[in-house]
Amino acid sequence: MHMKASVEKQVALGFGASVATLLVICVFFCWIAENSITAQGWVTHTYEVIAALEQGRAILADAETAERGYLLTGDERFAQDTRKAQSQANDWLATAQRLTADNTEQRKRLDELQPLIARRLALLDNRIQLRREQGLSAAAAAVGTREGAGLSQQISQYISEMQATESQLLKTRQQKEQADARMAEVLVAGGGLLACALGLISFLMVCRDLRLRKSAEERLRQNEERIRLMVENINDYAIILLDTKGNVVNWSAGGDHINGYTEGEMLGRHFSKLYPEAAVRSGFCDEELKIAAERGRCENESWHVRKDGSRFWANAVITAIRGNDGQLRGFVNVTRDLTERNRLTGLLEHERHLMNQLMDSATEDIYFKDKESRFLRISRFHAGRLGFESPAQAVGKSDAEIFSAEHAQQARRDEEEVMRTGRPITKEERETWPDGHVTWALTVKLPLCGPSGDIIGTFGLSRDISERKASEEEIKKLNEDLQRHTAQLEMANKELEAFSYSVSHDLRAPLRHIDGFVKLLEKNATALDERSRRYLAIIADSAQRMGALIDDLLIFSRMGRAEMRQTKVESDSLVHEILESLQSETQGRNIEWKITPLPQIKADPAMLRQVWTNLIANAVKYSRPRDPARIEIGCNEQNGDWVFYVRDNGVGFDMSYAHKLFGVFQRLHRAEEFEGTGIGLANVQRIVLRHGGRVWAEGKLADGAAFFFALPKSAH
């Protein structure tokens, strides 16, 4: 009985001890499970903080990119993108404050970071407003202060420090999580030995564990939802989650934007659908997954295909996803469209090709120099002139190693001035070469700017003008000789005009005497025989002709010396006035006049009257044998000139003698047939030439003539 009681007691004690032991194990297991869940929560929390920090960096980068776009183009869409990024930055700061509320050190950094971000965003607004109100140059000047770059660097440094802190926390928390997991495994193994005896207790503990696991899974699902929302807001990259076979299990909004497919269209389908058929048949997609599984990562650039069938060049990074046990769980495919980058690269290559072609084929001296006036690059033609076999041999050398010291020093002073003022210099310079020969060059030097706009040297373009300078010197000598001869000719002309005027004036006195005595003799003409009266008539007529000749000579002389007073002249009115003055010569004649409208011109009225009088009077005179006589006066426009003409159906002239028409004392008809002195047309030519025009005639013997004079329309 006592033994039974003792056994029962021992059983009870054993059972009690077992129960107590299991209870202790259960307590420890629960404690470790809670720690594991807590640690897992902190790990997840740390991932959220790291992702949030990276998102903040991306938001600020988007704001700066949009600001640069607006500064360059003035497109308000970029300004709207900047304002959107600013709003996102404020939301991000609130999220970051919430996530770092438990970390005093991170909260302190965030408090220091917040005013920097506010200043940076305010600076973006300021530059956009400056670009909108004052233009690109003012905004570029503001950018040149580098204030924004300094703020961006400080912000990036703060974010990097916060990420480093979170990364260290992540490492520590992961280690704690792994330690808790290992301890849980030991306890589960020990508890398994007592599972048969304590099934109920184990069952209860398993149920509790299941409840805890379900709670953890719910938290994990929530975290995954947050990550999914964050990924969906990235449109510049297609982030695709694949299973181990390459089938799509998650599709980001960036995939819609880049590939054109929606999530519903791609879920469950193999990612090879995004590649050309030829690449798929060659096993390219399977090889990418194989490399990513073996090496952890595979990156390449290749053609991709959109939903509409169009192709685009893209960069794709496939990263393997493995669990804590090392087992492959799937892949992440991050794709970026490189179309725009390739376009810009192509343009850059094209410009580089054009530059190389220019430097190789130009027949002028083209060169780039650094701030120390050393050659960075020169044209092949310039290299040959400097005595180098190739342009590369001149790189690093200066003018002091090639030209005389005087020329090198002057070139250095010019280049320093260009770099100091930022303004180009154009000059003709004398080049003294080492062998002593001298050349002349027309040189243009401009500031050479780097990508940031800072002056990093000079750009020069020189053309050899030695032949031109020699020609100019020769022309200068010829001009001096010409001026000397012109002065002599002017003096001779003045003397000739003075002589003509003096002779014409002095001849008037004897002509007056002749005319007076002829009139006295005519009073006693009854005492003279017929022959004497005829001689007397010839003397009187010759004296009158001589007087007319002297008058014409005086007019001709005055036309060469008179000052021109150009005003607006109504050609129509002037011609009709001249016709009225010629009524004594046209009275009793059968003349058919044809006068077209004439333009208003700018000329010397008196001189122009002389031109029209001579030409119309000649037409009236040389059409005298015709009945009816036809005289046409008109004008037309040719090659920027007003071309006036007087045409008649008179006796005309032989064109072989046309060159004599406008010479002094040149007549193509005998004085017995038609009166005149042979000076009128010479006077016409002199007046027209003084107006910058030209004069010519056309005619046919016995079939009329036409006289033309052209005056520049631009002068009017």
Side-chain angles (χ1 to χ4, degrees), residues 661-681:
L661 285 173
F662 299 98
V664 180
F665 305 128
Q666 297 293 330
R667 290 176 53 82
L668 301 184
H669 301 279
R670 293 182 301 170
E672 291 81 1
E673 296 177 331
F674 299 99
E675 69 279 4
T677 61
I679 295 177
L681 290 179

Side-chain angles (χ1 to χ4, degrees), residues 162-264:
M162 293 180 72
Q163 286 179 326
T165 300
E166 291 297 326
S167 296
Q168 186 63 36
L169 285 173
L170 177 63
K171 182 177 179 181
T172 302
R173 290 166 177 172
Q174 285 178 334
Q175 291 174 349
K176 187 176 183 306
E177 180 185 16
Q178 292 173 358
D180 291 341
R182 285 194 295 271
M183 185 175 293
E185 290 175 357
V186 172
L187 288 174
V188 170
L193 298 175
L194 300 175
C196 295
L198 304 172
L200 180 60
I201 297 174
S202 299
F203 175 75
L204 294 174
M205 291 179 63
V206 168
C207 290
R208 184 178 182 183
D209 182 61
L210 290 175
R211 287 195 301 272
L212 293 175
R213 186 179 299 275
K214 184 178 180 181
S215 176
E217 288 176 351
E218 178 62 21
R219 292 182 184 179
L220 181 60
R221 187 192 64 77
Q222 293 176 357
N223 292 335
E224 289 177 349
E225 178 67 14
R226 295 191 191 100
I227 294 174
R228 184 185 66 80
L229 292 175
M230 181 179 68
V231 169
E232 285 181 350
N233 289 323
I234 301 176
N235 290 325
D236 294 334
Y237 293 84
I239 303 176
I240 307 167
L241 186 63
L242 309 175
D243 61 16
T244 56
K245 296 181 179 180
N247 297 315
V248 177
V249 296
N250 190 278
W251 183 264
S252 71
D256 297 356
H257 176 71
I258 294 177
N259 297 287
Y261 290 100
T262 63
E263 183 177 14

